Amino acid sequence: VLGVSEAPVIASHANAHALCPVPRNLTDKQLGALAATGGVVHFTLTSGIQNKNRTYRVVGGVSGTVPGIPLPGGAATLPINWDIFTNLMINLLNTPAFQNFMGTLDAKGSAAAAIVIPAAPGLKGLRFYLGFITVKGSSIIAIARTAGFSIR
């Protein structure tokens, strides 16, 4: 499909295979190929039923996952390095570029989000890392595993 489409391709109803290794999910290579042509990557956030109706926030970066962002109290670290992409996400939060990157988890503790990747040659080789946190009041109560994909 990517080789013949003249329009951006949308990958819906699939997630990162690295996070959930089932056949319908996309490998890093498939996500990278999709991103290279410009398109939309949809993904599901799952924090568990114990976190139903709680606030979530997607966090991302392009400069790796180590050392990460130390969280208040020092008990945990969010495995994303703060960089210019993180700032861009914050400034464009819940816009068409970063859809549903902050919101409320449903009754099952899940949500859907999407990132729009422009077809820009300058992005080739760039690796994106995305993860999310679940919040109760002002406290972070869950940190999701980070997924990454490279634009090919």
Side-chain angles (χ1 to χ4, degrees), residues 5 16-17 19 25-26 36 44 52 60 64 66 74 83-84 101 108 127 138-140 145 147:
S5 176
H17 192 270
L19 292 180
N25 287 344
L26 302 175
T44 302
K52 67 182 179 180
V66 176
D83 55 34
I84 194 165
F101 269 46
K108 294 180 181 178
R127 185 156 182 84
S138 61
S139 299
I140 296 171
R145 199 167 126 198

Side-chain angles (χ1 to χ4, degrees), residues 12-71:
S12 66
H13 298 84
N15 289 294
H17 192 270
L19 292 180
C20 184
V22 297
R24 80 174 191 181
N25 287 344
L26 302 175
T27 64
D28 180 57
K29 185 176 179 180
Q30 292 167 321
L31 286 169
L34 173 71
T37 63
V40 180
V41 178
H42 291 257
F43 49 97
T44 302
L45 312 172
T46 304
S47 190
I49 197 162
Q50 72 277 11
N51 291 318
K52 67 182 179 180
N53 304 317
R54 298 208 191 282
T55 301
Y56 70 88
R57 175 117 184 218
V58 177
V59 182
V62 293
S63 59
T65 60
V66 176
I69 302 169
L71 299 177

